[in-house]
Amino acid sequence: MARTKKTVGAYPSGIILFSLTLALFLIGFCGLLAIQSKQLVTYIRENYEVRAFLDKGLSSRKVGNLSRTIAEQPYVLVTNGEPQVTLVTKDEAAKEFIAETKEDFSKFLGENPLRDSYRIKLNEAYFDEAKLQEVKQDLEQINGVFEVVYQENLVDNINRNITKIYIVMSAFALALLLIIVVLMNNTIRVAIHSQRLLIRSMQLVGATNSFITRPFLGRGMWQGFLAAVIAIGLLLIGWEVAKHNLPELGTFQDLEKVIALMAGLVGLGILIGFLSTFQAVHRYLGLTLDELY
């Protein structure tokens, strides 16, 4: 039975492709989690409200002028060209209070003691306790604004928790990347081990190191590219399944960042394939005949 002729660079690649695909999938999954987390954080910050209570007895014209004045402030969030400033009349506030507490204070007070107010959403950059204090002081200097309130210390608690989450995710992603690089390097080294004698034979007939290395590098880069494409396909399928079961996830989708992540996976796959293959081949190029056995 004739022996199969070996070709330079034609080493078993199934386990390498599987390992690299799995590795890139895990990295991509972490990346998607990071993107969604960032979008969720932005959503939370931009939906945080401060309330500016107005003086009593203001005319409707004065209340309208206050709305325009507040909307012009640089810290007010603007979405689709619309400043996020919402008027809540004292009657609407009374209905909300009664609905939440199930107690109708008007029955024993005889009047509505609440004030008209504006609910103001702020830019994400102002989601900080010190800056919120500045916003509060600035709004309270506007004629017609009685008081500005917000949940103190809540912002700092949220920011601290967000920082902790980012640190944990970053550490996990870094550790995962290091483990993947080491595993891929060892996997490719074992695969190329089957061609060590062919590499030595080519050296003996005068082949240069670059000539020997070229087909291995080409195959390694191709495997990295193919693994990235498969990993991206799996991520997209998983993402669509997740959105089908949790439609709210579509709210936090950032297409530009997702595309950048996919492009990064392709580049990372090619880079890992290239570097791991180069290091493994270079090792065998420098072995003596005794070390080959």
Side-chain angles (χ1 to χ4, degrees), residues 273-287:
F274 176 86
L275 293 179
S276 298
T277 303
F278 178 82
Q279 184 177 5
V281 175
H282 184 72
R283 176 178 180 271
Y284 286 108
L285 288 173
L287 293 180

Side-chain angles (χ1 to χ4, degrees), residues 16-218:
I16 295 177
L17 185 62
F18 173 79
S19 300
L20 189 52
T21 299
L22 180 60
L24 293 174
F25 175 82
L26 291 175
I27 293 175
F29 181 73
C30 290
L32 281 178
L33 281 181
I35 292 173
Q36 296 306 305
S37 299
K38 180 62 173 65
Q39 291 298 105
L40 177 59
V41 168
T42 298
Y43 178 82
I44 292 173
R45 288 174 171 174
E46 290 185 346
N47 280 273
Y48 182 80
E49 295 179 335
V50 299
R51 299 195 65 170
F53 292 94
L54 309 183
D55 293 333
K56 292 184 177 181
L58 294 179
S59 65
S60 57
R61 181 179 178 181
K62 178 62 176 177
V63 172
N65 290 336
L66 273 174
S67 174
R68 288 187 289 273
T69 301
I70 294 174
E72 292 172 354
Q73 304 307 311
Y75 41 76
V76 175
L77 176 66
V78 178
T79 304
N80 298 324
E82 291 294 328
Q84 298 302 296
V85 179
T86 305
L87 174 65
V88 179
T89 65
K90 63 179 184 179
D91 293 332
E92 292 171 341
K95 291 179 181 178
E96 290 180 2
F97 181 84
I98 294 172
E100 291 176 0
T101 63
K102 308 300 181 183
E103 296 182 3
D104 188 355
F105 55 82
S106 62
K107 292 182 178 179
F108 55 86
L109 290 180
E111 62 175 355
N112 183 357
L114 302 180
R115 298 172 180 268
D116 295 336
S117 65
Y118 278 110
R119 292 178 178 174
I120 308 165
K121 294 181 180 179
L122 306 179
N123 290 320
E124 184 181 4
Y126 290 86
F127 196 78
D128 176 83
E129 194 69 36
K131 291 184 178 180
L132 282 174
Q133 282 290 341
E134 294 177 3
V135 170
K136 171 182 169 68
Q137 294 173 6
D138 185 70
L139 287 173
E140 288 180 342
Q141 291 177 0
I142 298 176
N143 185 29
V145 175
F146 174 74
E147 183 184 20
V148 175
V149 299
Y150 64 90
Q151 291 180 282
E152 296 185 8
N153 300 320
L154 175 64
V155 172
D156 280 347
N157 289 334
I158 293 176
N159 284 334
R160 279 194 296 268
N161 291 331
I162 289 172
T163 301
K164 291 178 182 178
I165 292 173
Y166 280 157
I167 291 174
V168 171
M169 290 184 64
S170 299
F172 177 75
L174 181 59
L176 180 63
L177 182 59
L178 292 176
I179 292 171
I180 286 168
V181 170
V182 173
L183 289 178
M184 287 307 305
N185 185 53
N186 291 335
T187 302
I188 292 177
R189 180 180 297 178
V190 170
I192 295 179
H193 179 78
S194 64
Q195 292 218 334
R196 69 192 187 285
L197 297 180
L198 181 57
I199 292 174
R200 183 61 176 176
S201 298
M202 295 186 68
Q203 284 180 312
L204 292 175
V205 298
T208 62
N209 288 349
S210 61
F211 180 83
I212 297 172
T213 304
R214 193 178 302 118
F216 287 102
L217 294 181

